[in-house]
Amino acid sequence: AAAAALVRYPQLLSVSVEANLRPTADYLRSLGVDVGRVVRSHAITLDLSLEANLKPTVSFLQREGVEELGRVLSSQPSLLSLSTQSSLAPKCDFLRSLGMAPLGPLLTQYPAVLTLSLEANLRPTALALAEAGVLSPPDPTLRPRHLAASLERRIKPRLALCAALGVTPSLGAVTTASDVHFCKQVGLSPAEWAAWRGSNRVPAPLSIPWLPPTLDLNQLLFESGAAAASGATPAAAGAAP
């Protein structure tokens, strides 16, 4: 495990054993964290500052009511590398605004939700569920696993089918339910669902980080394709005659 960790994070070779690695490992063990598991999955944790990163994050999680920190941090060590102010706190505030309260027990049960991006995952997923009428915040039945479901691969295709059938699914049906249970709720067989999904794929939105956020790349490509079909340039295709 140590050799593999050094291959992935060679910068650990420059970290002092006595001043950094050993105190960090000892602190994690005092919380009940499986240090060997952390080394295998997220060895860079050992390079984090004990005073500036680890202890503030642990204190934050404790204030939020997260228990079983040994298990939580063994399974999700990347939490320790997230900023409490710019990452963890805004996510917790957002989850509470949706109706998740008390939040501590829910995070203890599914801490992975805090590793998801607020803007790229949590907020778009909640918005899609709300727009479909599946989620009405604040909703006390909402759980972290609902928001951790893949928006593009699971939620959107299921919502599209339900809209086509004219049925309103439950929150769990479009997020956490297996395909078998989802099909039972909407009245289709798994084979029918697979066939429908194969012929009605919901395209994932195109995203290039360095482009202006207001640029609709899908629309631009559509206009380019339409212009090519007509033999005009995109600008000319949109120009008045």
Side-chain angles (χ1 to χ4, degrees), residues 61 64-69 71-72 75 102-114 144:
L61 293 174
E64 288 291 341
V66 177
E67 299 178 347
E68 303 177 40
L69 281 173
R71 178 187 61 79
V72 166
S75 66
L103 189 56
L106 298 177
L107 295 179
T108 300
Q109 183 182 38
Y110 195 77
V113 71
L114 290 179

Side-chain angles (χ1 to χ4, degrees), residues 4 6 13 28 49 65 77 80 85 102 110 120 131 137 144 149 154 165-166 170 204-205 219 231 236:
L6 290 175
L13 290 171
L28 292 175
S49 167
L80 292 168
Q85 291 186 339
Y110 195 77
E131 288 180 340
R154 172 170 289 195
L165 295 176
S170 67
Q219 181 63 25

Side-chain angles (χ1 to χ4, degrees), residues 129-150:
L129 293 171
E131 288 180 340
V134 177
L135 174 66
S136 299
D139 184 344
T141 68
L142 182 66
R143 296 293 181 266
R145 286 183 182 274
H146 294 145
L147 297 182
S150 171

Side-chain angles (χ1 to χ4, degrees), residues 112-187:
V113 71
L114 290 179
T115 67
L116 299 176
S117 166
L118 176 59
E119 300 304 329
N121 300 108
L122 299 177
R123 200 182 299 280
T125 297
L127 180 61
L129 293 171
E131 288 180 340
V134 177
L135 174 66
S136 299
D139 184 344
T141 68
L142 182 66
R143 296 293 181 266
R145 286 183 182 274
H146 294 145
L147 297 182
S150 171
L151 180 60
E152 301 299 333
R153 294 192 302 273
R154 172 170 289 195
I155 295 176
K156 284 187 176 181
R158 291 185 177 188
L159 289 176
L161 172 64
C162 290
L165 295 176
V167 300
T168 300
S170 67
L171 176 60
V174 295
T175 56
T176 58
S178 67
D179 279 349
V180 171
H181 284 90
F182 170 69
C183 288
K184 285 182 179 179
Q185 184 166 128
V186 298

Side-chain angles (χ1 to χ4, degrees), residues 4-73:
L6 290 175
V7 170
R8 294 195 303 272
Y9 305 105
Q11 62 267 41
L12 290 177
L13 290 171
S14 64
V15 179
S16 169
V17 172
E18 296 304 323
N20 300 96
L21 296 181
R22 195 182 305 280
T24 296
D26 289 344
Y27 175 69
L28 292 175
R29 288 193 186 97
S30 74
L31 298 171
V33 175
D34 184 341
V35 175
R37 184 177 176 183
V38 170
V39 169
R40 290 190 296 272
S41 63
H42 202 256
I44 198 64
T45 301
L46 298 181
D47 191 29
L48 296 174
S49 167
L50 190 57
E51 300 300 327
N53 298 107
L54 302 187
K55 289 184 177 180
T57 300
V58 168
S59 295
F60 175 86
L61 293 174
Q62 290 173 328
R63 289 195 302 272
E64 288 291 341
V66 177
E67 299 178 347
E68 303 177 40
L69 281 173
R71 178 187 61 79
V72 166
L73 295 176

